[in-house]
Amino acid sequence: MVTSKLPVALPAHWFAEDDWRGTLIHAVDGRGHVVASVTVNEDVRGYLLGVQPVPAFHGRAQRYMRRGWRPRLYRDALAALMAAWQSLRPKA
């Protein structure tokens, strides 16, 4: 399932899809395996690492408001996913 146009560019081979939980962005390794994911929910304006529902508010959530909230939300979600993905990569 393909998602609507995202306000950010994804790294090569990564992909996003729409789901009942929101938009799922998946980090893919060189062999095509999904190694990490983030769920972005625009309705609650939040994200969580993994494939899971995003609650309307949780203690660590940053509030995304005012002009430009959508690109900031996706940039922060991608940064969190990139950090998780980098920590899973083998050290060379």
Side-chain angles (χ1 to χ4, degrees):
M1 173 172 15
V2 178
T3 188
S4 57
K5 189 166 184 164
L6 297 177
V8 294
L10 297 178
H13 307 296
W14 289 23
F15 68 96
E17 61 183 344
D18 285 334
D19 185 285
W20 64 270
R21 294 167 283 241
T23 301
L24 307 176
I25 302 173
H26 303 287
V28 180
D29 67 8
R31 294 173 293 181
H33 297 107
V34 173
V35 292
S37 300
V38 66
T39 304
V40 180
N41 188 316
E42 292 183 21
D43 292 333
V44 299
R45 297 186 182 195
Y47 69 89
L48 285 175
L49 287 173
V51 177
Q52 58 186 326
V54 180
F57 181 75
H58 49 91
R60 295 173 292 152
Q62 177 181 347
R63 302 298 284 181
Y64 292 93
M65 304 180 122
R66 301 197 176 151
R67 185 178 299 174
W69 68 267
R70 191 169 180 260
R72 276 196 323 272
L73 172 63
Y74 279 93
R75 275 196 309 266
D76 291 351
L78 276 178
L81 179 58
M82 187 76 70
W85 181 68
Q86 291 292 338
S87 70
L88 294 172
R89 293 179 69 190
K91 307 288 187 249

XYZ file of all heavy atoms in Angstrom:
734
model
N 0.843 -1.162 0.000
C 0.000 0.000 0.000
C 0.898 1.239 0.000
O 1.775 1.375 0.817
C -0.880 -0.078 1.249
C -1.702 1.090 1.508
S -2.916 0.899 2.853
C -2.442 -0.526 3.764
N 0.678 2.155 -0.919
C 1.499 3.350 -1.062
C 0.829 4.508 -0.329
O -0.389 4.597 -0.266
C 1.699 3.690 -2.560
C 2.502 4.957 -2.736
C 2.373 2.529 -3.268
N 1.637 5.383 0.221
C 1.111 6.499 1.001
C 0.958 7.752 0.152
O 1.477 7.834 -0.956
C 2.024 6.789 2.204
O 1.394 7.748 3.021
C 3.363 7.324 1.767
N 0.266 8.704 0.699
C 0.161 10.002 0.061
C 1.530 10.673 0.080
O 2.443 10.220 0.750
C -0.869 10.863 0.791
O -0.507 10.970 2.151
N 1.646 11.767 -0.642
C 2.938 12.442 -0.744
C 3.388 12.965 0.617
O 2.653 13.662 1.300
C 2.830 13.584 -1.738
C 4.148 14.193 -2.068
C 4.072 15.067 -3.269
C 5.470 15.557 -3.564
N 5.580 16.092 -4.874
N 4.609 12.621 1.002
C 5.171 13.052 2.278
C 5.842 14.412 2.107
O 6.366 14.716 1.033
C 6.199 12.039 2.772
C 5.699 10.637 3.074
C 6.854 9.746 3.486
C 4.640 10.666 4.148
N 5.895 15.218 3.171
C 6.541 16.528 3.075
C 8.069 16.453 3.201
O 8.732 17.479 3.256
C 5.934 17.295 4.252
C 5.625 16.252 5.252
C 5.215 15.035 4.451
N 8.619 15.249 3.250
C 10.067 15.040 3.349
C 10.476 13.945 2.372
O 9.658 13.133 1.959
C 10.490 14.627 4.782
C 10.256 15.745 5.773
C 9.774 13.378 5.224
N 11.753 13.929 2.016
C 12.279 12.879 1.144
C 12.812 11.744 2.009
O 13.430 11.982 3.052
C 13.387 13.435 0.266
N 12.552 10.525 1.580
C 13.045 9.355 2.300
C 14.380 8.919 1.713
O 14.623 9.077 0.512
C 12.045 8.206 2.182
C 10.662 8.429 2.792
C 9.781 7.213 2.530
C 10.767 8.706 4.273
N 15.259 8.343 2.540
C 16.504 7.784 2.009
C 16.212 6.669 0.995
O 15.126 6.092 0.987
C 17.198 7.214 3.252
C 16.628 8.002 4.389
C 15.203 8.275 3.997
N 17.190 6.382 0.170
C 17.039 5.347 -0.870
C 16.608 4.024 -0.247
O 17.106 3.631 0.814
C 18.358 5.179 -1.616
N 15.677 3.376 -0.876
C 15.147 2.061 -0.517
C 14.214 2.070 0.688
O 13.640 1.044 1.007
C 16.258 1.035 -0.308
C 17.201 0.942 -1.450
N 16.831 0.520 -2.695
C 18.513 1.267 -1.547
C 17.866 0.569 -3.505
N 18.902 1.015 -2.830
N 14.093 3.175 1.392
C 13.115 3.259 2.472
C 11.757 3.501 1.846
O 11.660 4.040 0.743
C 13.458 4.387 3.416
C 14.664 4.136 4.273
C 15.697 3.278 4.021
C 14.975 4.776 5.495
N 16.623 3.340 5.017
C 16.205 4.262 5.942
C 14.347 5.731 6.249
C 16.805 4.674 7.123
C 14.940 6.154 7.431
C 16.162 5.615 7.849
N 10.695 3.123 2.541
C 9.367 3.352 1.985
C 8.370 3.683 3.080
O 8.615 3.452 4.263
C 8.903 2.147 1.153
C 8.643 0.902 1.951
C 7.354 0.586 2.362
C 9.671 0.039 2.281
C 7.105 -0.570 3.092
C 9.436 -1.122 3.012
C 8.151 -1.419 3.417
N 7.251 4.245 2.659
C 6.185 4.613 3.590
C 4.878 4.046 3.076
O 4.700 3.858 1.870
C 6.094 6.130 3.714
N 3.989 3.762 4.011
C 2.664 3.262 3.648
C 1.642 3.776 4.643
O 1.964 4.032 5.800
C 2.651 1.740 3.592
C 2.989 1.072 4.906
C 3.036 -0.447 4.809
O 2.532 -1.008 3.827
O 3.571 -1.064 5.731
N 0.413 3.946 4.179
C -0.673 4.361 5.059
C -1.287 3.133 5.710
O -1.342 2.059 5.125
C -1.742 5.128 4.280
C -1.304 6.536 3.935
O -0.455 7.081 4.658
O -1.800 7.082 2.942
N -1.738 3.310 6.935
C -2.266 2.230 7.745
C -3.321 2.849 8.653
O -3.407 4.071 8.770
C -1.086 1.664 8.561
C -1.433 0.452 9.357
O -2.094 0.613 10.389
O -1.036 -0.658 8.979
N -4.103 2.035 9.330
C -5.099 2.570 10.244
C -4.461 3.312 11.407
O -5.080 4.139 12.049
C -6.038 1.470 10.746
C -5.366 0.416 11.576
C -4.795 -0.740 11.118
C -5.180 0.428 12.993
N -4.264 -1.455 12.174
C -4.496 -0.762 13.341
C -5.524 1.308 14.005
C -4.145 -1.071 14.641
C -5.179 0.983 15.317
C -4.495 -0.187 15.624
N -3.181 3.044 11.688
C -2.475 3.724 12.770
C -1.912 5.065 12.346
O -1.545 5.877 13.171
C -1.330 2.844 13.274
C -1.800 1.565 13.934
C -0.653 0.613 14.130
N -0.319 -0.019 12.868
C -0.375 -1.330 12.650
N -0.713 -2.139 13.618
N -0.082 -1.829 11.479
N -1.777 5.293 11.045
C -1.186 6.518 10.510
C -0.292 6.168 9.338
O -0.546 5.229 8.591
N 0.784 6.908 9.179
C 1.759 6.642 8.127
C 2.929 5.880 8.734
O 3.530 6.330 9.706
C 2.263 7.960 7.507
O 1.145 8.664 6.967
C 3.261 7.698 6.398
N 3.231 4.732 8.161
C 4.348 3.906 8.625
C 5.528 4.156 7.698
O 5.400 4.026 6.479
C 3.978 2.429 8.591
C 2.690 2.037 9.312
C 2.413 0.557 9.107
C 2.755 2.379 10.769
N 6.671 4.490 8.259
C 7.897 4.682 7.490
C 8.856 3.583 7.915
O 9.112 3.398 9.111
C 8.505 6.073 7.733
C 7.489 7.155 7.359
C 9.797 6.230 6.924
C 7.921 8.557 7.712
N 9.373 2.851 6.930
C 10.218 1.685 7.205
C 11.643 1.919 6.703
O 11.834 2.331 5.559
C 9.656 0.442 6.521
C 8.243 0.134 6.906
N 7.902 -0.377 8.133
C 7.078 0.278 6.215
C 6.595 -0.555 8.191
N 6.068 -0.156 7.040
N 12.615 1.617 7.558
C 14.028 1.637 7.185
C 14.389 0.239 6.687
O 14.095 -0.748 7.352
C 14.896 2.015 8.374
N 15.006 0.178 5.524
C 15.313 -1.099 4.873
C 16.831 -1.239 4.737
O 17.525 -0.290 4.370
C 14.634 -1.161 3.484
C 14.938 -2.466 2.790
C 13.133 -0.954 3.622
N 17.346 -2.437 5.054
C 18.783 -2.671 4.915
C 19.130 -3.010 3.466
O 18.264 -3.030 2.595
C 19.263 -3.754 5.884
C 18.718 -5.142 5.585
O 18.073 -5.335 4.541
O 18.929 -6.049 6.423
N 20.392 -3.286 3.212
C 20.862 -3.565 1.857
C 20.279 -4.816 1.225
O 20.274 -4.961 0.012
N 19.772 -5.736 2.041
C 19.187 -6.969 1.512
C 17.676 -6.871 1.336
O 17.026 -7.849 0.988
C 19.524 -8.134 2.433
C 21.018 -8.447 2.461
C 21.316 -9.468 3.497
N 21.055 -8.833 4.805
C 21.224 -9.419 5.963
N 21.635 -10.651 6.015
N 20.973 -8.786 7.091
N 17.111 -5.690 1.644
C 15.679 -5.496 1.463
C 14.832 -5.842 2.666
O 13.613 -5.889 2.569
N 15.461 -6.065 3.813
C 14.720 -6.384 5.034
C 14.395 -5.112 5.810
O 15.246 -4.250 5.975
C 15.537 -7.314 5.938
C 15.825 -8.627 5.315
N 17.075 -8.969 4.856
C 15.021 -9.675 5.045
C 17.035 -10.187 4.345
N 15.796 -10.642 4.439
N 13.188 -5.016 6.324
C 12.800 -3.902 7.185
C 13.474 -4.105 8.533
O 13.298 -5.126 9.174
C 11.269 -3.825 7.340
C 10.881 -2.771 8.365
C 10.602 -3.541 6.006
N 14.275 -3.125 8.959
C 15.007 -3.256 10.218
C 14.493 -2.316 11.308
O 14.753 -2.544 12.485
C 16.522 -3.036 10.022
C 17.113 -4.163 9.200
C 16.808 -1.702 9.397
N 13.788 -1.263 10.935
C 13.232 -0.330 11.915
C 12.082 0.422 11.262
O 12.051 0.585 10.042
C 14.300 0.649 12.406
N 11.150 0.864 12.091
C 9.980 1.583 11.579
C 9.588 2.691 12.547
O 9.943 2.664 13.722
C 8.787 0.637 11.416
O 9.083 -0.395 10.526
N 8.843 3.652 12.027
C 8.264 4.698 12.847
C 6.831 4.909 12.367
O 6.554 4.815 11.173
C 9.078 6.015 12.798
C 9.054 6.658 11.428
C 8.600 7.004 13.840
N 5.916 5.133 13.307
C 4.525 5.411 12.986
C 4.270 6.891 13.225
O 4.537 7.401 14.318
C 3.580 4.583 13.882
O 3.906 3.202 13.741
C 2.130 4.804 13.491
N 3.782 7.586 12.197
C 3.458 9.002 12.282
C 1.949 9.141 12.159
O 1.355 8.621 11.215
C 4.157 9.815 11.165
C 3.801 11.289 11.269
C 5.658 9.606 11.196
N 1.339 9.823 13.109
C -0.108 10.041 13.055
C -0.361 11.544 13.016
O -0.116 12.249 13.990
C -0.793 9.410 14.264
C -2.290 9.442 14.151
O -2.886 10.446 13.767
N -2.916 8.332 14.500
N -0.823 12.028 11.867
C -1.071 13.459 11.706
C -2.282 13.926 12.498
O -2.353 15.099 12.875
C -1.253 13.795 10.228
C 0.005 13.640 9.422
C -0.169 14.055 7.970
O -1.106 14.824 7.666
O 0.635 13.605 7.141
N -3.241 13.046 12.758
C -4.432 13.439 13.510
C -4.074 13.844 14.945
O -4.619 14.811 15.475
C -5.469 12.319 13.541
C -6.067 12.053 12.168
O -6.093 12.992 11.333
O -6.508 10.920 11.935
N -3.166 13.099 15.560
C -2.746 13.438 16.925
C -1.441 14.232 16.913
O -0.949 14.611 17.973
C -2.620 12.191 17.827
C -3.940 11.484 17.959
C -1.546 11.255 17.340
N -0.890 14.436 15.729
C 0.348 15.204 15.542
C 1.477 14.666 16.402
O 2.103 15.373 17.184
C 0.107 16.682 15.829
C -0.880 17.298 14.872
C -1.007 18.773 15.072
N -2.004 19.310 14.149
C -2.149 20.581 13.867
N -1.368 21.478 14.438
N -3.072 20.984 13.024
N 1.744 13.364 16.222
C 2.804 12.731 16.972
C 3.355 11.514 16.251
O 2.831 11.109 15.215
N 4.418 10.950 16.796
C 5.038 9.752 16.226
C 5.607 8.897 17.348
O 5.878 9.384 18.443
C 6.135 10.121 15.222
C 7.358 10.747 15.846
C 8.422 9.962 16.288
C 7.448 12.122 16.017
C 9.534 10.533 16.874
C 8.561 12.704 16.604
C 9.600 11.908 17.022
O 10.712 12.469 17.610
N 5.755 7.618 17.066
C 6.416 6.677 17.965
C 7.235 5.710 17.126
O 6.818 5.320 16.031
C 5.400 5.881 18.782
C 4.706 6.590 19.933
C 3.649 5.681 20.551
C 5.705 7.009 20.986
N 8.394 5.304 17.634
C 9.179 4.281 16.948
C 8.435 2.963 16.995
O 7.766 2.652 17.977
C 10.556 4.135 17.585
C 11.532 5.275 17.292
C 12.797 5.089 18.112
C 11.860 5.365 15.825
N 8.532 2.213 15.924
C 7.845 0.940 15.827
C 6.532 1.092 15.085
O 6.150 2.175 14.667
N 5.863 -0.040 14.906
C 4.551 -0.058 14.253
C 3.541 -0.225 15.371
O 3.326 -1.325 15.870
C 4.461 -1.199 13.223
C 3.081 -1.258 12.617
C 5.526 -1.024 12.145
N 2.951 0.893 15.793
C 2.027 0.892 16.914
C 1.161 2.140 16.857
O 1.543 3.131 16.251
C 2.801 0.845 18.229
C 3.775 2.004 18.415
C 4.609 1.844 19.660
O 4.129 1.315 20.652
N 5.848 2.286 19.616
N -0.005 2.099 17.478
C -0.845 3.293 17.511
C -0.159 4.411 18.311
O 0.509 4.148 19.306
C -2.123 2.835 18.217
C -2.090 1.350 18.193
C -0.656 0.944 18.089
N -0.326 5.631 17.855
C 0.234 6.792 18.544
C -0.863 7.374 19.433
O -1.897 7.791 18.923
C 0.723 7.855 17.534
C 1.313 9.050 18.264
C 1.741 7.254 16.571
N -0.668 7.392 20.752
C -1.705 7.951 21.626
C -1.838 9.454 21.424
O -0.896 10.120 20.979
C -1.215 7.622 23.027
C 0.233 7.374 22.901
C 0.478 6.898 21.501
N -2.998 9.981 21.775
C -3.257 11.409 21.583
C -2.231 12.264 22.316
O -1.834 13.312 21.840
C -4.666 11.747 22.044
N -1.791 11.828 23.479
C -0.738 12.560 24.184
C -0.056 11.593 25.140
O -0.707 10.843 25.848
C -1.300 13.744 24.974
C -0.218 14.511 25.689
C 0.623 15.345 24.991
C -0.021 14.347 27.047
C 1.643 16.037 25.636
C 0.993 15.027 27.706
C 1.819 15.884 26.997
N 1.244 11.625 25.129
C 2.006 10.869 26.104
C 3.109 11.772 26.628
O 3.492 12.736 25.973
C 2.538 9.543 25.532
C 3.231 9.666 24.224
N 4.572 9.867 24.122
C 2.768 9.621 22.954
C 4.917 9.936 22.843
N 3.848 9.803 22.123
N 3.584 11.510 27.789
C 4.473 12.400 28.517
C 5.663 12.946 27.758
O 6.048 14.093 27.931
N 6.270 12.146 26.897
C 7.470 12.584 26.194
C 7.164 13.242 24.858
O 8.060 13.640 24.152
C 8.397 11.392 25.963
C 8.938 10.819 27.260
C 9.711 9.560 26.991
N 8.758 8.541 26.545
C 9.047 7.537 25.741
N 10.253 7.388 25.290
N 8.124 6.671 25.390
N 5.896 13.355 24.515
C 5.528 13.852 23.190
C 5.761 15.351 23.070
O 5.420 16.118 23.953
C 4.061 13.547 22.902
N 6.357 15.730 21.965
C 6.491 17.140 21.642
C 5.204 17.564 20.946
O 4.640 16.816 20.165
C 7.689 17.345 20.714
C 7.858 18.773 20.262
C 9.042 18.921 19.318
O 9.867 18.030 19.197
N 9.112 20.033 18.646
N 4.729 18.741 21.213
C 3.511 19.226 20.583
C 3.872 19.891 19.257
O 4.750 20.744 19.205
C 2.813 20.231 21.492
C 2.472 19.667 22.853
C 1.521 18.525 22.813
N 0.171 19.040 22.552
C -0.895 18.293 22.479
N -0.798 17.002 22.657
N -2.060 18.813 22.242
N 3.204 19.504 18.201
C 3.427 20.081 16.880
C 2.258 20.986 16.558
O 1.146 20.517 16.329
C 3.578 18.980 15.824
C 4.852 18.207 16.016
C 4.877 17.048 16.773
C 6.034 18.666 15.480
C 6.041 16.354 16.979
C 7.216 17.986 15.671
C 7.209 16.825 16.425
O 8.378 16.151 16.622
N 2.520 22.291 16.586
C 1.480 23.273 16.350
C 2.026 24.385 15.466
O 3.208 24.439 15.179
C 0.976 23.843 17.665
C 0.481 22.775 18.625
S -0.095 23.468 20.130
C -1.749 22.850 20.092
N 1.149 25.241 15.066
C 1.428 26.433 14.279
C 1.904 26.097 12.877
O 1.922 24.950 12.453
C 2.396 27.346 15.008
C 1.841 27.779 16.342
C 2.554 28.957 16.873
N 1.893 29.349 18.112
C 2.480 29.941 19.093
N 3.757 30.231 18.994
N 1.807 30.269 20.170
N 2.283 27.108 12.178
C 2.668 26.966 10.777
C 3.879 26.039 10.621
O 4.831 26.121 11.374
C 3.013 28.344 10.219
C 3.316 28.335 8.742
C 3.597 29.700 8.250
N 2.389 30.501 8.476
C 2.315 31.791 8.257
N 3.370 32.460 7.852
N 1.187 32.434 8.471
N 3.812 25.156 9.641
C 4.928 24.264 9.346
C 5.019 23.046 10.253
O 6.056 22.381 10.278
N 3.954 22.726 10.991
C 4.024 21.591 11.920
C 4.198 20.263 11.189
O 4.900 19.387 11.677
C 2.793 21.533 12.827
C 1.508 21.203 12.123
C 0.606 22.093 11.627
C 1.002 19.908 11.822
N -0.432 21.430 11.037
C -0.219 20.080 11.145
C 1.458 18.617 12.059
C -0.983 19.014 10.696
C 0.681 17.552 11.607
C -0.517 17.747 10.937
N 3.573 20.115 10.015
C 3.620 18.823 9.317
C 5.042 18.453 8.878
O 5.516 17.342 9.170
C 2.647 18.839 8.137
C 2.434 17.492 7.513
C 1.254 17.540 6.517
N 1.051 16.251 5.927
C 1.494 15.907 4.720
N 2.124 16.790 3.965
N 1.289 14.691 4.263
N 5.773 19.336 8.177
C 7.157 18.972 7.833
C 8.037 18.739 9.064
O 8.878 17.838 9.066
C 7.662 20.177 7.029
C 6.436 20.852 6.539
C 5.377 20.596 7.558
N 7.847 19.530 10.127
C 8.634 19.328 11.359
C 8.348 17.972 11.968
O 9.259 17.280 12.438
C 8.320 20.430 12.381
C 9.087 21.694 12.191
C 9.048 22.611 13.415
N 7.791 22.634 14.130
C 6.762 23.445 13.874
N 6.843 24.296 12.879
N 5.660 23.394 14.606
N 7.077 17.575 11.985
C 6.694 16.269 12.528
C 7.406 15.150 11.777
O 8.017 14.262 12.387
C 5.176 16.089 12.442
C 4.614 14.708 12.780
C 4.897 14.346 14.223
C 3.126 14.666 12.499
N 7.374 15.193 10.452
C 8.010 14.138 9.660
C 9.533 14.190 9.758
O 10.192 13.149 9.800
C 7.546 14.203 8.203
C 6.197 13.555 8.011
C 5.026 14.305 8.082
C 6.087 12.197 7.783
C 3.782 13.715 7.925
C 4.856 11.596 7.619
C 3.714 12.354 7.693
O 2.483 11.750 7.538
N 10.122 15.391 9.810
C 11.582 15.494 9.956
C 12.028 14.889 11.284
O 13.013 14.153 11.335
C 12.035 16.954 9.866
C 12.244 17.460 8.469
C 13.040 18.752 8.444
N 12.516 19.767 9.343
C 11.661 20.725 9.004
N 11.216 20.790 7.770
N 11.271 21.608 9.889
N 11.302 15.198 12.367
C 11.664 14.644 13.674
C 11.475 13.128 13.717
O 12.293 12.402 14.288
C 10.841 15.302 14.774
C 11.213 16.757 15.000
O 12.226 17.222 14.434
O 10.477 17.431 15.745
N 10.397 12.642 13.100
C 10.161 11.191 13.053
C 11.266 10.504 12.257
O 11.779 9.453 12.671
C 8.796 10.898 12.442
N 11.665 11.097 11.127
C 12.755 10.507 10.333
C 14.081 10.556 11.087
O 14.878 9.613 10.999
C 12.890 11.222 8.991
C 11.964 10.731 7.901
C 12.151 11.561 6.632
C 12.185 9.268 7.595
N 14.336 11.625 11.819
C 15.571 11.717 12.597
C 15.607 10.626 13.672
O 16.646 9.990 13.886
C 15.697 13.095 13.234
N 14.476 10.386 14.337
C 14.412 9.329 15.349
C 14.608 7.958 14.708
O 15.323 7.102 15.242
C 13.077 9.379 16.087
N 13.993 7.747 13.547
C 14.144 6.471 12.839
C 15.583 6.293 12.364
O 16.145 5.202 12.459
C 13.164 6.397 11.666
C 13.213 5.134 10.821
C 12.966 3.890 11.667
C 12.190 5.215 9.697
N 16.188 7.358 11.861
C 17.582 7.287 11.396
C 18.506 6.932 12.552
O 19.401 6.095 12.403
C 17.999 8.625 10.789
C 19.356 8.609 10.137
S 19.398 7.800 8.538
C 18.495 8.935 7.547
N 18.281 7.508 13.726
C 19.104 7.197 14.893
C 18.927 5.738 15.302
O 19.900 5.048 15.612
C 18.747 8.119 16.050
N 17.698 5.256 15.287
C 17.450 3.846 15.628
C 18.096 2.932 14.596
O 18.707 1.915 14.943
C 15.954 3.581 15.703
N 17.986 3.277 13.336
C 18.557 2.467 12.255
C 20.078 2.438 12.358
O 20.698 1.385 12.206
C 18.099 3.029 10.912
C 18.594 2.287 9.725
C 18.251 1.028 9.335
C 19.516 2.765 8.744
N 18.902 0.702 8.173
C 19.687 1.753 7.790
C 20.215 3.965 8.587
C 20.520 1.893 6.692
C 21.041 4.106 7.500
C 21.183 3.073 6.565
N 20.693 3.597 12.651
C 22.157 3.644 12.776
C 22.626 2.782 13.937
O 23.677 2.155 13.857
C 22.614 5.098 12.984
C 22.434 5.989 11.784
C 23.350 5.629 10.630
O 24.387 5.002 10.805
N 22.956 6.016 9.432
N 21.860 2.742 15.019
C 22.276 1.941 16.174
C 22.178 0.440 15.886
O 22.840 -0.362 16.552
C 21.437 2.295 17.401
O 20.107 1.829 17.248
N 21.359 0.058 14.907
C 21.214 -1.360 14.564
C 22.235 -1.825 13.535
O 22.419 -3.021 13.355
C 19.809 -1.620 14.018
C 18.676 -1.423 15.027
C 17.327 -1.515 14.315
C 18.772 -2.452 16.131
N 22.861 -0.883 12.849
C 23.839 -1.257 11.817
C 25.106 -1.804 12.463
O 25.561 -1.310 13.487
C 24.188 -0.050 10.947
C 23.011 0.404 10.122
C 23.337 1.590 9.294
N 24.270 1.188 8.260
C 24.898 2.048 7.467
N 24.707 3.332 7.605
N 25.721 1.616 6.543
N 25.685 -2.836 11.833
C 26.925 -3.384 12.392
C 28.079 -2.375 12.274
O 28.164 -1.630 11.307
C 27.207 -4.628 11.542
C 26.369 -4.482 10.329
C 25.247 -3.549 10.659
N 28.925 -2.340 13.278
C 30.078 -1.443 13.266
C 31.143 -1.997 12.332
O 31.455 -3.163 12.352
C 30.670 -1.301 14.679
C 29.648 -0.890 15.720
C 29.242 0.539 15.542
C 28.365 0.981 16.684
N 26.995 1.230 16.337
N 31.700 -1.130 11.484
C 32.717 -1.573 10.534
C 34.106 -1.388 11.070
O 34.385 -0.728 11.978
C 32.577 -0.791 9.230
